[in-house]
Amino acid sequence: KVLLASICVAFLAAKWTSPRFDADSLKGARVLVTGASTGIGEQMAYHYARFGAQIVITARREKVLQQVVEKCLSLGAQKAFYIAADMANESDPDKVVDYALEKLGGLDYLVLNHIGPSPFSMWKGDVDHTKWLMKVNFFSYIQMAWKALPSLEQNKGSLVVVSSLLGKITSPFVAPYTSTKFALNGFFGSLRHELAMKKSNVSISVCTLGLIDTDSAMEKVRGITDVQAYPATDAALNIIITGATRQPELFYPWFTYFIAITKDWFPSVTDYIIQNSYNYIP
Ligand code: NDP
């Protein structure tokens, strides 16, 4: 009980002492958001637009990006551009950052959010798919981060990485996906240390999300789990605030923090809960 109370106090203290969000700080901010044609990325684009930011968005589908850009402009974005790119192509991550630098004249925020589609099913040995997913969900992230760092450095900028509770705990049916998220957490956790040791003024925020009600996520888990999904628009706003206040981590919804820190205390209980949170009959 004492331990639990201490964790709660530590959590609440961290919440209360976290810096206040100043919406005006995003007016005119130069932002690149990836995976912004749908889901959480699209919602982030709309929030940044309402805050009056200058935005570049990217994903593969040009027509959809065009519609999102039009809506961003109608919501109040100072500028909004799109560039279609496939993050599985080796040159596209650099191409996208170059485009954003050229259109906006620099970057204050790089928000890495895109993911390639991946089946929600038992691992059936598809190594090629896992390699491809690593390219899209991981290698493109580090390539874009490296390309954008000099500009972020010049502008006291922020790097925001959208990760998942599945980058902190393992779960069935998502072996390739969870691998990419663990890789992100490892890489950007290490990079955060290095930037701090170099006294860099770039902040890194890694966002741990639980189940969010995007179409792609809901399509996968419908009928398979009863875990509650949280709203994409709220998740998007929390990610933006975390980046703007330069906090190292976001846990959304809040209880994902407790799952992440308690998962190793009683491993067999954790495994039991995870394996029984899915409707699966062999
Ligand atoms: P969506 O599937 O809704 O959106 C994925 C985005 O990535 C789309 O804009 C898609 O656009 C783009 N994309 C897909 N493949 C590529 C590619 N090869 N190259 C470039 N862009 C690509 O994802 P969510 O909004 O659900 O998730 C957003 C983030 O949140 C992800 O990082 C995810 O891991 C994380 N998250 C989501 C959770 C959830 O329950 N939804 C839970 C935990 C974390 P297009 O098809 O046009 O290329």
Side-chain angles (χ1 to χ4, degrees):
K1 271 185 188 166
V2 172
L3 196 59
L4 208 61
S6 317
I7 293 169
C8 287
V9 169
F11 179 75
L12 292 173
K15 276 261 161 227
W16 282 326
T17 54
S18 61
R20 279 181 68 88
F21 170 57
D22 173 15
D24 280 344
S25 69
L26 292 176
K27 195 164 265 165
R30 295 161 301 176
V31 186
L32 169 55
V33 185
T34 71
S37 60
T38 49
I40 298 165
E42 179 187 1
Q43 297 305 318
M44 284 197 277
Y46 298 150
H47 284 304
Y48 277 122
R50 289 186 196 99
F51 289 125
Q54 307 180 58
I55 316 162
V56 169
I57 60 168
T58 187
R60 289 168 306 176
R61 287 168 298 157
E62 194 158 355
K63 275 227 168 84
V64 190
L65 288 171
Q66 201 177 342
Q67 289 163 2
V68 175
V69 154
E70 277 162 22
K71 188 163 172 191
C72 284
L73 288 168
S74 74
L75 287 171
Q78 279 188 13
K79 291 179 185 170
F81 304 97
Y82 69 86
I83 175 167
D86 184 341
M87 292 300 169
N89 288 344
E90 240 147 70
S91 56
D92 279 17
D94 284 355
K95 182 182 87 178
V96 169
V97 175
D98 282 337
Y99 177 83
L101 293 174
E102 184 207 317
K103 287 289 178 192
L104 305 180
L107 275 177
D108 300 301
Y109 292 94
L110 171 60
V111 185
L112 297 168
N113 164 76
H114 62 275
I115 43 166
S118 189
F120 190 81
S121 61
M122 289 271 177
W123 164 246
K124 295 191 187 79
D126 192 347
V127 176
D128 284 341
H129 169 72
T130 310
K131 283 184 184 166
W132 173 84
L133 200 66
M134 269 290 185
K135 265 193 196 168
V136 177
N137 291 11
F138 175 66
F139 288 113
S140 69
Y141 276 51
I142 69 176
Q143 199 176 336
M144 292 183 82
W146 185 247
K147 188 85 179 161
L149 259 180
S151 181
L152 293 174
E153 191 79 57
Q154 265 177 15
N155 301 304
K156 198 172 184 279
S158 301
L159 191 56
V160 180
V161 177
V162 181
S163 189
S164 166
L165 189 55
L166 295 175
K168 301 265 189 192
I169 64 170
T170 55
S171 173
F173 309 130
V174 285
Y177 172 79
T178 199
S179 312
T180 67
K181 293 300 187 185
F182 268 78
L184 285 178
N185 283 19
F187 184 90
F188 285 100
S190 179
L191 187 63
R192 189 193 293 117
H193 285 305
E194 294 179 9
L195 293 184
M197 289 161 83
K198 286 198 270 188
K199 308 241 181 294
S200 159
N201 58 14
V202 176
S203 66
I204 296 185
S205 302
V206 176
C207 304
T208 295
L209 305 183
L211 185 61
I212 309 298
D213 67 357
T214 60
D215 290 345
S216 65
M218 291 298 94
E219 223 169 77
K220 280 179 188 158
V221 302
R222 197 167 291 125
I224 297 176
T225 181
D226 301 325
V227 169
Q228 190 189 339
Y230 283 75
T233 179
D234 198 34
L237 185 58
N238 276 275
I239 294 167
I240 289 172
I241 292 173
T242 301
T245 50
R246 304 173 73 81
Q247 294 172 80
E249 288 202 90
L250 165 71
F251 288 90
Y252 179 90
W254 61 272
F255 58 80
T256 53
Y257 174 72
F258 292 100
I259 298 174
I261 62 168
T262 57
K263 70 175 173 27
D264 292 330
W265 292 1
F266 309 102
S268 46
V269 177
T270 309
D271 287 353
Y272 178 84
I273 294 170
I274 290 173
Q275 286 162 28
N276 286 281
S277 62
Y278 297 101
N279 306 320
Y280 173 75
I281 302 155

